[in-house]
Amino acid sequence: MDTPISWLEWTGVHMSPWKLIGWVGALMFGSRWLVQFIASKRAKKPVIPRVFWYMSIIGSIMTLSYFVWGKNDSVGILQNLFPMFTASYSLWLDIKHRGWHRDKASH
């Protein structure tokens, strides 16, 4: 997982699979704010859609795995460990409050 991805060599980009996982996780974690912005703009009020929590959990897991197995960096581990638990708890509360289907309850 630490050897460069061969199909990217022609671009001059030297990226290992772990680095790719880290980048995709960081992009997933960061782009959740764009999803939240779009949902709030459409609703004309602050809204956190359920996909925000899914993106938070997936992004945290991906960046956490990068820092645990790819880079072995304790700062990155701590930085991504707590948001994962918070997002998981928030998702659980959202499902508990609204059920599995959005139309069962409002925000």
Side-chain angles (χ1 to χ4, degrees):
M1 291 285 286
D2 291 325
T3 57
I5 299 171
S6 60
W7 56 269
L8 286 176
E9 287 178 5
W10 69 273
T11 65
V13 175
H14 302 285
M15 187 176 299
S16 69
W18 278 124
K19 183 74 85 166
L20 185 61
I21 288 169
W23 273 107
V24 172
L27 289 171
M28 174 79 66
F29 198 74
S31 62
R32 68 199 169 110
W33 292 107
L34 179 63
V35 168
Q36 192 270 335
F37 172 78
I38 292 169
S40 295
K41 189 168 172 64
R42 285 182 181 165
K44 298 188 185 329
K45 66 179 183 176
V47 174
I48 299 178
R50 188 172 289 171
V51 71
F52 179 91
W53 301 119
Y54 287 121
M55 291 174 77
S56 298
I57 293 167
I58 293 167
S60 289
I61 288 171
M62 290 179 78
T63 53
L64 183 62
S65 64
Y66 168 73
F67 283 114
V68 169
W69 292 288
K71 190 165 176 127
N72 199 5
D73 180 3
S74 61
V75 173
I77 292 169
L78 285 175
Q79 182 181 8
N80 289 284
L81 189 61
F82 296 114
M84 183 181 63
F85 288 118
T86 303
S88 297
Y89 180 70
S90 295
L91 177 61
W92 177 77
L93 285 177
D94 187 57
I95 291 169
K96 182 179 171 187
H97 174 71
R98 296 191 302 170
W100 283 102
H101 303 288
R102 294 188 63 148
D103 56 352
K104 286 190 176 179
S106 63
H107 283 276

